[in-house]
Coordinates of all heavy atoms in Angstrom, one line a residue:
M1 N 13.6 -28.6 -5.3 CA 14.6 -27.6 -4.9 C 14.0 -26.2 -4.8 O 13.1 -25.8 -5.6 CB 15.7 -27.6 -6.0 CG 16.9 -26.7 -5.6 SD 18.2 -26.8 -6.9 CE 17.6 -25.6 -8.0
Q2 N 14.3 -25.4 -3.8 CA 13.8 -24.1 -3.6 C 14.6 -23.1 -4.3 O 15.8 -23.0 -4.2 CB 13.8 -23.7 -2.1 CG 12.5 -23.9 -1.4 CD 12.5 -23.1 -0.1 OE1 13.5 -22.6 0.4 NE2 11.3 -22.8 0.4
T3 N 13.9 -22.3 -5.1 CA 14.6 -21.2 -5.8 C 14.6 -19.9 -4.9 O 13.9 -19.9 -3.9 CB 13.9 -20.8 -7.1 OG1 12.6 -20.3 -6.8 CG2 13.7 -22.0 -8.0
K4 N 15.4 -19.0 -5.3 CA 15.5 -17.7 -4.5 C 14.1 -17.1 -4.4 O 13.7 -16.6 -3.4 CB 16.5 -16.8 -5.2 CG 16.9 -15.6 -4.4 CD 17.9 -14.7 -5.1 CE 18.1 -13.4 -4.3 NZ 18.9 -12.5 -5.1
N5 N 13.4 -17.1 -5.6 CA 12.1 -16.5 -5.6 C 11.1 -17.2 -4.7 O 10.3 -16.5 -4.0 CB 11.5 -16.5 -7.0 CG 10.5 -15.4 -7.3 OD1 10.5 -14.4 -6.7 ND2 9.6 -15.7 -8.2
T6 N 11.2 -18.5 -4.6 CA 10.3 -19.2 -3.7 C 10.6 -18.9 -2.2 O 9.7 -18.7 -1.4 CB 10.5 -20.7 -3.9 OG1 10.5 -21.0 -5.2 CG2 9.5 -21.6 -3.1
K7 N 11.9 -18.7 -1.9 CA 12.3 -18.3 -0.5 C 11.7 -17.0 -0.2 O 11.2 -16.7 0.9 CB 13.8 -18.3 -0.4 CG 14.4 -19.7 -0.3 CD 15.9 -19.5 -0.1 CE 16.6 -20.9 -0.3 NZ 18.0 -20.8 -0.5
I8 N 11.8 -16.0 -1.2 CA 11.3 -14.7 -1.0 C 9.7 -14.7 -0.7 O 9.2 -14.2 0.2 CB 11.6 -13.7 -2.1 CG1 13.1 -13.5 -2.1 CG2 10.8 -12.4 -2.1 CD1 13.6 -12.8 -3.4
L9 N 9.1 -15.5 -1.5 CA 7.6 -15.7 -1.4 C 7.2 -16.3 -0.1 O 6.3 -15.8 0.6 CB 7.0 -16.5 -2.5 CG 7.0 -15.9 -3.9 CD1 6.4 -16.8 -4.9 CD2 6.3 -14.6 -3.9
N10 N 8.0 -17.3 0.4 CA 7.7 -17.9 1.7 C 7.9 -16.9 2.8 O 7.1 -16.8 3.7 CB 8.6 -19.1 1.9 CG 8.2 -20.3 1.0 OD1 7.1 -20.3 0.5 ND2 9.1 -21.2 0.9
F11 N 9.0 -16.1 2.7 CA 9.2 -15.1 3.7 C 8.1 -14.1 3.8 O 7.6 -13.7 4.8 CB 10.5 -14.3 3.4 CG 10.8 -13.1 4.2 CD1 11.3 -13.3 5.5 CD2 10.5 -11.9 3.8 CE1 11.6 -12.1 6.3 CE2 10.7 -10.7 4.5 CZ 11.3 -10.9 5.8
C12 N 7.6 -13.7 2.6 CA 6.6 -12.7 2.5 C 5.3 -13.2 3.1 O 4.6 -12.5 3.8 CB 6.3 -12.3 1.1 SG 7.6 -11.4 0.3
Q13 N 5.0 -14.5 2.9 CA 3.8 -15.1 3.4 C 3.8 -15.2 4.9 O 2.9 -14.9 5.6 CB 3.5 -16.4 2.8 CG 2.9 -16.2 1.4 CD 3.1 -17.4 0.4 OE1 3.9 -18.3 0.7 NE2 2.5 -17.3 -0.7
I14 N 5.0 -15.6 5.4 CA 5.2 -15.7 6.9 C 5.0 -14.3 7.5 O 4.4 -14.2 8.6 CB 6.5 -16.4 7.2 CG1 6.5 -17.8 6.8 CG2 6.8 -16.2 8.7 CD1 7.9 -18.5 6.7
Q15 N 5.6 -13.3 6.9 CA 5.6 -12.0 7.5 C 4.3 -11.2 7.2 O 4.1 -10.1 7.5 CB 6.8 -11.1 6.9 CG 8.2 -11.7 7.2 CD 8.5 -11.7 8.7 OE1 8.2 -10.7 9.4 NE2 9.0 -12.8 9.2
K16 N 3.4 -11.9 6.4 CA 2.2 -11.3 6.0 C 2.4 -10.0 5.1 O 1.6 -9.1 5.2 CB 1.2 -11.0 7.2 CG 0.9 -12.3 8.0 CD -0.4 -12.1 8.8 CE -0.7 -13.3 9.7 NZ -0.5 -14.5 9.1
Y17 N 3.4 -10.0 4.3 CA 3.6 -8.9 3.4 C 2.7 -9.2 2.2 O 2.4 -10.3 1.9 CB 5.1 -8.9 2.9 CG 6.1 -8.4 3.8 CD1 5.9 -8.4 5.2 CD2 7.3 -7.8 3.4 CE1 6.9 -7.9 6.1 CE2 8.2 -7.3 4.2 CZ 8.0 -7.3 5.6 OH 9.0 -6.8 6.4
K18 N 2.4 -8.1 1.5 CA 1.5 -8.2 0.3 C 2.4 -8.6 -0.9 O 3.5 -8.0 -1.1 CB 0.8 -6.9 0.1 CG -0.1 -6.9 -1.0 CD -1.5 -7.3 -0.5 CE -2.5 -7.3 -1.6 NZ -3.8 -7.9 -1.2
I19 N 2.0 -9.6 -1.6 CA 2.8 -10.0 -2.8 C 2.1 -9.6 -4.1 O 0.9 -9.8 -4.2 CB 3.0 -11.5 -2.8 CG1 3.7 -12.0 -1.5 CG2 3.7 -12.0 -4.0 CD1 3.6 -13.5 -1.2
F20 N 2.9 -8.9 -4.9 CA 2.3 -8.6 -6.2 C 3.1 -9.2 -7.3 O 4.3 -9.3 -7.3 CB 2.4 -7.0 -6.4 CG 1.6 -6.2 -5.5 CD1 2.2 -5.5 -4.4 CD2 0.2 -6.3 -5.5 CE1 1.4 -4.8 -3.5 CE2 -0.5 -5.5 -4.6 CZ 0.1 -4.8 -3.6
K21 N 2.3 -9.8 -8.3 CA 3.0 -10.4 -9.5 C 3.2 -9.3 -10.5 O 2.4 -8.5 -10.8 CB 2.1 -11.4 -10.1 CG 2.0 -12.7 -9.3 CD 1.9 -13.9 -10.3 CE 2.2 -15.2 -9.7 NZ 3.5 -15.4 -9.2
L22 N 4.4 -9.3 -10.9 CA 4.8 -8.3 -12.0 C 4.8 -9.0 -13.3 O 3.9 -8.8 -14.1 CB 6.2 -7.7 -11.7 CG 6.4 -6.9 -10.5 CD1 7.8 -6.4 -10.3 CD2 5.4 -5.7 -10.5
L23 N 5.7 -9.9 -13.6 CA 5.8 -10.7 -14.8 C 5.8 -12.1 -14.3 O 6.1 -12.4 -13.2 CB 7.0 -10.3 -15.6 CG 7.1 -8.9 -16.1 CD1 8.5 -8.5 -16.5 CD2 6.1 -8.7 -17.2
P24 N 5.6 -13.1 -15.2 CA 5.7 -14.5 -14.8 C 7.1 -14.7 -14.2 O 8.1 -14.4 -14.8 CB 5.5 -15.3 -16.2 CG 4.7 -14.3 -17.0 CD 5.2 -12.9 -16.6
G25 N 7.1 -15.3 -13.0 CA 8.4 -15.6 -12.4 C 8.9 -14.4 -11.5 O 9.9 -14.6 -10.8
Y26 N 8.3 -13.3 -11.6 CA 8.8 -12.1 -10.9 C 7.7 -11.6 -9.9 O 6.6 -11.5 -10.3 CB 9.2 -11.0 -11.8 CG 10.5 -11.3 -12.6 CD1 10.3 -11.9 -13.8 CD2 11.7 -11.1 -12.1 CE1 11.4 -12.3 -14.6 CE2 12.8 -11.4 -12.9 CZ 12.7 -12.0 -14.1 OH 13.8 -12.4 -14.8
N27 N 8.1 -11.4 -8.7 CA 7.2 -10.9 -7.7 C 7.8 -9.8 -6.9 O 9.1 -9.8 -6.7 CB 6.8 -12.1 -6.7 CG 6.2 -13.2 -7.5 OD1 5.1 -13.2 -7.9 ND2 7.0 -14.2 -7.7
I28 N 7.0 -9.0 -6.4 CA 7.6 -8.0 -5.4 C 6.8 -8.2 -4.1 O 5.6 -8.6 -4.2 CB 7.5 -6.6 -5.8 CG1 6.1 -6.1 -6.2 CG2 8.5 -6.3 -6.9 CD1 5.9 -4.6 -6.3
C29 N 7.4 -8.0 -3.0 CA 6.6 -8.1 -1.8 C 6.7 -6.8 -1.0 O 7.8 -6.2 -0.9 CB 7.0 -9.3 -1.0 SG 8.2 -9.2 0.2
M30 N 5.6 -6.3 -0.5 CA 5.5 -5.1 0.2 C 5.0 -5.2 1.6 O 4.0 -5.9 1.8 CB 4.6 -4.1 -0.6 CG 5.2 -3.6 -1.9 SD 4.0 -2.7 -2.9 CE 3.7 -1.3 -1.9
R31 N 5.7 -4.6 2.5 CA 5.3 -4.7 3.9 C 4.1 -3.7 4.0 O 4.0 -2.6 3.5 CB 6.4 -4.1 4.8 CG 6.1 -3.8 6.2 CD 7.3 -3.2 6.8 NE 7.0 -2.5 8.0 CZ 6.5 -1.2 8.1 NH1 6.3 -0.6 6.9 NH2 6.3 -0.6 9.2
P32 N 3.0 -4.2 4.7 CA 1.8 -3.4 4.9 C 2.3 -2.1 5.6 O 3.1 -2.1 6.5 CB 0.9 -4.2 5.8 CG 1.4 -5.6 5.7 CD 2.8 -5.5 5.4
V33 N 1.7 -1.0 5.2 CA 2.1 0.3 5.9 C 1.4 0.4 7.3 O 0.4 -0.2 7.5 CB 1.7 1.5 5.1 CG1 2.6 1.6 3.8 CG2 0.2 1.6 4.8
K34 N 2.1 1.1 8.2 CA 1.6 1.3 9.5 C 1.4 2.8 9.8 O 2.2 3.6 9.2 CB 2.6 0.7 10.5 CG 2.9 -0.7 10.4 CD 1.7 -1.6 10.7 CE 2.0 -3.1 10.5 NZ 0.9 -3.9 10.4
P35 N 0.5 3.2 10.6 CA 0.3 4.6 10.8 C 1.5 5.3 11.3 O 1.8 6.5 10.9 CB -0.8 4.7 11.9 CG -1.5 3.4 11.9 CD -0.5 2.4 11.4
W36 N 2.4 4.7 12.0 CA 3.6 5.3 12.5 C 4.6 5.5 11.4 O 5.6 6.3 11.6 CB 4.2 4.6 13.7 CG 4.4 3.1 13.6 CD1 5.5 2.5 13.0 CD2 3.5 2.1 13.9 NE1 5.3 1.1 13.0 CE2 4.1 0.9 13.5 CE3 2.2 2.1 14.5 CZ2 3.4 -0.3 13.7 CZ3 1.6 0.8 14.7 CH2 2.2 -0.3 14.3
D37 N 4.4 4.9 10.3 CA 5.3 5.2 9.1 C 5.3 6.7 8.7 O 6.2 7.2 8.1 CB 5.0 4.3 7.9 CG 5.3 2.9 8.1 OD1 6.1 2.5 9.1 OD2 4.7 2.0 7.4
L38 N 4.2 7.3 9.0 CA 4.0 8.8 8.7 C 5.0 9.6 9.5 O 5.3 10.7 9.1 CB 2.6 9.2 9.0 CG 1.5 8.8 8.1 CD1 0.1 8.9 8.7 CD2 1.6 9.5 6.8
L39 N 5.5 9.1 10.6 CA 6.4 9.9 11.4 C 7.8 10.2 10.7 O 8.5 11.1 11.0 CB 6.6 9.2 12.8 CG 5.4 9.0 13.6 CD1 5.7 8.3 14.9 CD2 4.8 10.4 14.0
N40 N 8.1 9.3 9.8 CA 9.4 9.4 9.0 C 9.1 9.9 7.6 O 8.5 9.1 6.8 CB 10.1 8.0 9.0 CG 11.4 8.1 8.3 OD1 11.8 9.1 7.7 ND2 12.2 7.0 8.4
K41 N 9.5 11.1 7.3 CA 9.2 11.7 6.0 C 9.8 10.9 4.8 O 9.5 11.1 3.7 CB 9.6 13.1 5.9 CG 8.5 14.1 6.5 CD 8.6 15.4 5.8 CE 7.3 16.2 6.1 NZ 7.2 17.4 5.3
D42 N 10.8 10.0 5.1 CA 11.4 9.2 4.1 C 10.4 8.3 3.5 O 10.6 7.7 2.4 CB 12.6 8.4 4.6 CG 13.8 9.3 5.0 OD1 13.8 10.4 4.5 OD2 14.7 8.8 5.7
N43 N 9.3 8.0 4.2 CA 8.3 7.1 3.8 C 7.2 7.8 2.9 O 6.3 7.1 2.5 CB 7.6 6.4 5.0 CG 8.5 5.6 5.8 OD1 9.4 4.9 5.3 ND2 8.4 5.6 7.1
W44 N 7.3 9.1 2.8 CA 6.3 9.8 2.1 C 6.5 9.8 0.6 O 7.7 9.8 0.1 CB 6.3 11.3 2.6 CG 5.8 11.4 4.0 CD1 5.8 10.5 5.0 CD2 5.1 12.6 4.6 NE1 5.3 11.0 6.2 CE2 4.9 12.3 6.0 CE3 4.8 13.8 4.1 CZ2 4.3 13.2 6.8 CZ3 4.2 14.7 4.9 CH2 3.9 14.5 6.2
T45 N 5.4 9.9 -0.1 CA 5.5 10.1 -1.5 C 5.5 11.6 -1.9 O 5.4 12.4 -1.0 CB 4.4 9.3 -2.2 OG1 4.6 9.4 -3.7 CG2 3.0 9.9 -1.9
I46 N 5.5 12.0 -3.2 CA 5.5 13.4 -3.5 C 4.0 13.8 -3.5 O 3.1 13.0 -3.6 CB 6.1 13.6 -4.9 CG1 5.5 12.8 -6.0 CG2 7.6 13.4 -4.8 CD1 5.9 13.2 -7.4
E47 N 3.8 15.1 -3.4 CA 2.5 15.7 -3.2 C 1.5 15.4 -4.4 O 0.3 15.1 -4.2 CB 2.6 17.2 -3.1 CG 1.3 17.8 -2.5 CD 1.5 19.3 -2.1 OE1 2.6 19.8 -2.1 OE2 0.5 19.9 -1.7
E48 N 2.1 15.4 -5.6 CA 1.3 15.1 -6.8 C 0.7 13.7 -6.8 O -0.5 13.5 -7.1 CB 2.1 15.2 -8.1 CG 2.5 16.6 -8.5 CD 3.6 17.2 -7.7 OE1 4.4 16.4 -7.0 OE2 3.8 18.4 -7.7
V49 N 1.5 12.7 -6.3 CA 1.0 11.3 -6.2 C 0.0 11.2 -5.1 O -1.1 10.6 -5.3 CB 2.2 10.4 -5.9 CG1 1.7 9.0 -5.6 CG2 3.2 10.3 -7.1
R50 N 0.2 11.9 -4.0 CA -0.7 11.8 -2.9 C -2.0 12.5 -3.3 O -3.1 11.9 -3.1 CB -0.1 12.6 -1.7 CG -0.9 12.6 -0.5 CD -1.8 13.8 -0.4 NE -2.6 13.7 0.9 CZ -3.2 14.7 1.4 NH1 -3.3 15.8 0.8 NH2 -3.8 14.5 2.5
N51 N -2.0 13.6 -4.0 CA -3.2 14.3 -4.4 C -4.0 13.4 -5.4 O -5.2 13.4 -5.4 CB -2.9 15.6 -5.0 CG -2.4 16.6 -3.9 OD1 -2.6 16.3 -2.7 ND2 -1.8 17.7 -4.3
K52 N -3.3 12.7 -6.3 CA -4.0 11.9 -7.3 C -4.6 10.7 -6.6 O -5.8 10.4 -6.9 CB -2.9 11.4 -8.3 CG -3.5 10.6 -9.5 CD -4.4 11.4 -10.4 CE -5.2 10.6 -11.3 NZ -6.4 11.3 -11.9
R53 N -4.0 10.1 -5.7 CA -4.6 9.0 -4.9 C -5.8 9.5 -4.2 O -6.9 8.8 -4.2 CB -3.6 8.5 -3.9 CG -2.4 7.8 -4.4 CD -1.4 7.5 -3.3 NE -0.4 6.6 -3.7 CZ 0.6 6.2 -2.9 NH1 0.7 6.7 -1.7 NH2 1.5 5.4 -3.3
L54 N -5.7 10.7 -3.5 CA -6.9 11.2 -2.8 C -8.0 11.5 -3.7 O -9.2 11.3 -3.4 CB -6.4 12.4 -2.0 CG -7.2 12.8 -0.7 CD1 -7.3 11.6 0.2 CD2 -6.5 14.0 -0.1
E55 N -7.7 11.9 -4.9 CA -8.8 12.2 -5.9 C -9.5 10.9 -6.3 O -10.7 10.9 -6.4 CB -8.1 12.8 -7.1 CG -9.0 13.4 -8.2 CD -8.2 13.9 -9.4 OE1 -7.2 14.6 -9.2 OE2 -8.6 13.5 -10.5
I56 N -8.7 9.8 -6.5 CA -9.3 8.5 -6.8 C -10.2 8.1 -5.7 O -11.4 7.6 -5.9 CB -8.2 7.5 -7.2 CG1 -7.5 7.9 -8.4 CG2 -8.8 6.1 -7.3 CD1 -6.2 7.1 -8.6
C57 N -9.7 8.2 -4.5 CA -10.5 7.8 -3.3 C -11.8 8.6 -3.2 O -12.9 8.1 -3.0 CB -9.8 8.0 -2.0 SG -8.4 6.8 -1.8
G58 N -11.7 9.9 -3.5 CA -12.9 10.8 -3.4 C -14.0 10.4 -4.3 O -15.2 10.7 -4.0
E59 N -13.7 9.7 -5.4 CA -14.7 9.3 -6.4 C -15.1 7.8 -6.2 O -15.9 7.2 -6.9 CB -14.2 9.4 -7.8 CG -13.9 10.9 -8.2 CD -13.1 11.1 -9.4 OE1 -12.7 10.1 -10.0 OE2 -12.9 12.2 -9.8
C60 N -14.6 7.2 -5.1 CA -14.8 5.8 -4.9 C -16.0 5.5 -4.0 O -16.2 6.3 -3.1 CB -13.5 5.2 -4.2 SG -13.7 3.4 -3.8
E61 N -16.7 4.4 -4.3 CA -17.9 4.1 -3.5 C -17.6 3.7 -2.1 O -18.4 3.6 -1.2 CB -18.7 3.0 -4.3 CG -18.0 1.6 -4.4 CD -17.0 1.6 -5.5 OE1 -16.7 2.6 -6.2 OE2 -16.4 0.5 -5.8
N62 N -16.3 3.3 -1.8 CA -15.9 2.9 -0.5 C -15.4 4.0 0.4 O -14.9 3.8 1.5 CB -14.8 1.8 -0.6 CG -15.3 0.6 -1.3 OD1 -16.4 0.1 -0.9 ND2 -14.7 0.2 -2.4
Y63 N -15.4 5.2 -0.1 CA -14.9 6.4 0.6 C -16.1 7.0 1.4 O -17.1 7.4 0.8 CB -14.3 7.4 -0.4 CG -13.6 8.6 0.2 CD1 -12.3 8.3 0.8 CD2 -14.0 9.8 0.1 CE1 -11.6 9.4 1.3 CE2 -13.3 10.9 0.5 CZ -12.1 10.7 1.1 OH -11.3 11.7 1.6
N64 N -15.9 7.1 2.7 CA -17.1 7.5 3.5 C -17.0 9.0 3.8 O -16.0 9.7 3.5 CB -17.3 6.7 4.8 CG -16.3 7.0 5.8 OD1 -15.6 8.0 5.8 ND2 -16.2 6.1 6.8
S65 N -18.0 9.5 4.4 CA -18.2 11.0 4.6 C -17.1 11.6 5.6 O -17.0 12.8 5.6 CB -19.6 11.3 5.1 OG -19.8 10.6 6.3
I66 N -16.4 10.8 6.3 CA -15.4 11.3 7.2 C -14.0 11.1 6.6 O -13.0 11.2 7.4 CB -15.5 10.8 8.7 CG1 -15.5 9.3 8.8 CG2 -16.8 11.4 9.3 CD1 -15.3 8.8 10.2
G67 N -13.9 10.7 5.3 CA -12.6 10.5 4.7 C -11.9 9.2 5.0 O -10.7 9.1 4.8
Q68 N -12.7 8.2 5.3 CA -12.2 6.9 5.7 C -12.5 5.9 4.6 O -13.6 6.0 4.1 CB -12.7 6.5 7.0 CG -12.0 5.4 7.8 CD -12.7 5.2 9.1 OE1 -13.8 5.6 9.4 NE2 -12.0 4.5 10.0
C69 N -11.7 5.0 4.3 CA -11.9 3.9 3.4 C -12.7 2.8 4.1 O -12.3 2.4 5.2 CB -10.7 3.3 2.8 SG -10.9 1.8 1.8
K70 N -13.8 2.4 3.6 CA -14.6 1.3 4.2 C -14.0 0.0 4.2 O -14.4 -0.9 5.0 CB -16.0 1.2 3.5 CG -16.9 2.4 3.7 CD -18.2 2.2 3.0 CE -19.0 3.5 2.9 NZ -20.2 3.4 2.0
L71 N -13.0 -0.2 3.3 CA -12.4 -1.5 3.2 C -11.1 -1.7 4.1 O -11.0 -2.6 4.9 CB -12.0 -1.8 1.8 CG -13.1 -1.8 0.8 CD1 -12.6 -2.0 -0.6 CD2 -14.2 -2.8 1.1
C72 N -10.3 -0.7 4.1 CA -9.1 -0.8 5.0 C -9.2 0.0 6.3 O -8.4 -0.2 7.2 CB -7.8 -0.3 4.2 SG -7.8 1.4 3.8
H73 N -10.3 0.8 6.4 CA -10.6 1.6 7.6 C -9.5 2.7 7.9 O -9.5 3.2 9.0 CB -10.8 0.7 8.8 CG -11.8 -0.4 8.6 ND1 -13.1 -0.2 8.4 CD2 -11.6 -1.7 8.4 CE1 -13.7 -1.3 8.2 NE2 -12.8 -2.3 8.1
C74 N -8.7 3.0 6.9 CA -7.7 4.0 7.1 C -8.3 5.4 6.7 O -9.2 5.5 5.9 CB -6.5 3.8 6.2 SG -5.6 2.3 6.6
F75 N -7.7 6.4 7.4 CA -8.1 7.8 7.0 C -7.2 8.1 5.8 O -6.0 8.2 5.9 CB -7.9 8.8 8.1 CG -9.0 8.6 9.1 CD1 -8.8 7.8 10.3 CD2 -10.2 9.2 8.9 CE1 -9.8 7.7 11.2 CE2 -11.3 9.1 9.9 CZ -11.1 8.3 11.0
M76 N -7.9 8.4 4.7 CA -7.1 8.4 3.4 C -6.3 9.7 3.3 O -5.3 9.7 2.6 CB -8.0 8.3 2.2 CG -8.8 6.9 2.2 SD -7.8 5.5 2.7 CE -6.6 5.5 1.4
S77 N -6.7 10.8 4.0 CA -5.8 12.0 3.9 C -4.4 11.7 4.5 O -3.5 12.4 4.1 CB -6.5 13.1 4.7 OG -6.7 12.7 6.0
A78 N -4.3 10.7 5.3 CA -3.0 10.3 5.9 C -2.4 9.2 5.1 O -1.2 9.3 4.6 CB -3.2 9.9 7.3
K79 N -3.1 8.2 4.8 CA -2.5 7.0 4.2 C -2.0 7.3 2.8 O -1.0 6.7 2.4 CB -3.6 5.9 4.1 CG -3.1 4.6 3.5 CD -4.1 3.5 3.4 CE -3.6 2.3 2.7 NZ -4.7 1.2 2.7
T80 N -2.7 8.2 2.1 CA -2.2 8.5 0.7 C -0.8 9.1 0.7 O -0.2 9.1 -0.4 CB -3.2 9.4 0.0 OG1 -3.6 10.5 0.9 CG2 -4.5 8.6 -0.4
W81 N -0.4 9.6 1.8 CA 1.0 10.2 1.8 C 2.1 9.1 1.8 O 3.2 9.3 1.4 CB 1.2 11.0 3.1 CG 0.8 12.4 3.0 CD1 -0.2 13.0 3.6 CD2 1.3 13.4 2.1 NE1 -0.3 14.3 3.3 CE2 0.6 14.6 2.3 CE3 2.4 13.5 1.2 CZ2 0.9 15.8 1.6 CZ3 2.7 14.6 0.5 CH2 1.9 15.8 0.7
L82 N 1.8 7.9 2.2 CA 2.8 6.9 2.3 C 3.1 6.2 1.0 O 2.3 5.6 0.3 CB 2.4 5.8 3.3 CG 2.3 6.3 4.8 CD1 1.7 5.2 5.7 CD2 3.7 6.7 5.3
E83 N 4.4 6.3 0.6 CA 4.9 5.8 -0.7 C 4.5 4.3 -0.9 O 4.0 4.0 -2.0 CB 6.4 5.9 -0.6 CG 7.1 5.3 -1.9 CD 6.9 6.1 -3.1 OE1 6.7 7.3 -3.0 OE2 7.0 5.5 -4.2
N84 N 4.6 3.4 0.1 CA 4.3 2.0 -0.1 C 2.9 1.7 0.2 O 2.5 0.5 0.1 CB 5.2 1.2 0.8 CG 6.6 1.2 0.3 OD1 6.9 1.5 -0.9 ND2 7.5 0.8 1.2
A85 N 2.0 2.6 0.4 CA 0.6 2.3 0.6 C -0.1 1.9 -0.7 O 0.4 2.3 -1.7 CB -0.1 3.5 1.2
Y86 N -1.1 1.2 -0.6 CA -1.8 0.8 -1.8 C -3.3 0.6 -1.5 O -3.7 0.3 -0.3 CB -1.3 -0.5 -2.4 CG -1.1 -1.7 -1.5 CD1 -2.1 -2.5 -1.1 CD2 0.1 -1.8 -0.8 CE1 -2.0 -3.5 -0.2 CE2 0.3 -2.9 0.1 CZ -0.8 -3.7 0.4 OH -0.6 -4.7 1.3
C87 N -4.1 0.8 -2.5 CA -5.6 0.6 -2.3 C -5.8 -0.9 -2.2 O -5.3 -1.7 -3.0 CB -6.2 1.2 -3.5 SG -7.9 0.7 -3.8
P88 N -6.7 -1.3 -1.2 CA -7.0 -2.7 -1.1 C -7.6 -3.4 -2.3 O -7.5 -4.6 -2.5 CB -8.0 -2.8 0.1 CG -8.5 -1.4 0.3 CD -7.4 -0.5 -0.3
I89 N -8.2 -2.6 -3.2 CA -8.7 -3.2 -4.5 C -7.9 -2.7 -5.7 O -8.4 -2.7 -6.8 CB -10.3 -3.0 -4.6 CG1 -10.7 -1.5 -4.5 CG2 -11.0 -3.9 -3.7 CD1 -12.1 -1.2 -4.8
R90 N -6.8 -2.1 -5.4 CA -5.8 -1.7 -6.4 C -6.3 -0.7 -7.4 O -6.0 -0.7 -8.6 CB -5.2 -3.0 -7.2 CG -4.6 -4.0 -6.3 CD -3.4 -3.6 -5.5 NE -2.3 -3.3 -6.3 CZ -1.3 -2.4 -6.1 NH1 -1.4 -1.6 -5.0 NH2 -0.3 -2.2 -6.9
K91 N -7.1 0.3 -6.9 CA -7.4 1.4 -7.7 C -6.2 2.3 -7.9 O -6.1 3.1 -8.8 CB -8.6 2.1 -7.2 CG -9.9 1.4 -7.3 CD -11.1 2.3 -7.0 CE -12.4 1.6 -7.2 NZ -13.6 2.5 -7.0
W92 N -5.3 2.3 -6.9 CA -4.0 3.0 -7.0 C -3.0 2.2 -6.3 O -3.3 1.3 -5.5 CB -4.1 4.4 -6.5 CG -4.7 4.6 -5.1 CD1 -6.0 4.9 -4.8 CD2 -4.0 4.6 -3.8 NE1 -6.2 5.1 -3.5 CE2 -5.0 4.9 -2.8 CE3 -2.7 4.3 -3.4 CZ2 -4.7 4.9 -1.5 CZ3 -2.4 4.3 -2.1 CH2 -3.4 4.6 -1.1
Ligands
SF4_101 S1 -8.3 3.0 -0.9 FE1 -9.3 2.2 -2.7 S2 -11.2 1.2 -2.0 FE2 -10.5 2.6 -0.3 S3 -11.5 4.5 -0.8 FE3 -9.6 4.6 -1.8 S4 -9.9 4.0 -3.9 FE4 -11.7 3.3 -2.6

């Protein structure tokens, strides 16, 4: 029998959403952010969060000299503004 949680997980996998485990039996699924999400300020996080993320990236071995992440290839000065964005290796 399929539980509600299983249905959500299947949906997330089909849609290629990122699934995070919170507690046993509980999961959240997040749609990968897209560059055009920046066009809507409702998708933005607060400046303090954005600055903290950028600070973490600045100290990361995967952050290159033009401000791009070597793993996700995003420009972090932009991506860090998006509320639902996340680091590919979960540093933030
Ligand atoms: S997103 Fe993560 S892996 Fe990429 S530069 Fe920032 S901290 Fe490093």
Side-chain angles (χ1 to χ4, degrees):
M1 189 178 80
Q2 258 200 343
T3 64
K4 189 177 173 192
N5 204 27
T6 310
K7 283 183 194 162
I8 291 169
L9 290 180
N10 289 343
F11 172 80
C12 292
Q13 281 154 353
I14 291 165
Q15 301 293 319
K16 300 200 184 318
Y17 284 28
K18 186 87 178 173
I19 300 164
F20 295 109
K21 283 214 164 299
L22 295 177
L23 297 166
Y26 292 90
N27 302 283
I28 56 168
C29 90
M30 288 168 69
R31 169 184 160 279
V33 293
K34 303 289 182 200
W36 50 87
D37 291 342
L38 286 162
L39 299 174
N40 182 352
K41 276 209 164 190
D42 290 344
N43 297 324
W44 290 28
T45 188
I46 58 172
E47 195 167 357
E48 289 79 13
V49 170
R50 185 267 182 165
N51 291 345
K52 184 66 193 163
R53 290 171 168 179
L54 207 50
E55 189 184 312
I56 295 168
C57 289
E59 295 166 2
C60 177
E61 65 280 6
N62 297 309
Y63 191 68
N64 73 16
S65 59
I66 58 167
Q68 198 177 15
C69 174
K70 291 179 191 170
L71 301 180
C72 66
H73 308 290
C74 295
F75 286 97
M76 302 318 296
S77 58
K79 182 179 176 179
T80 47
W81 274 114
L82 292 172
E83 175 72 25
N84 288 340
Y86 49 85
C87 163
I89 53 174
R90 303 299 292 150
K91 287 190 176 183
W92 51 266

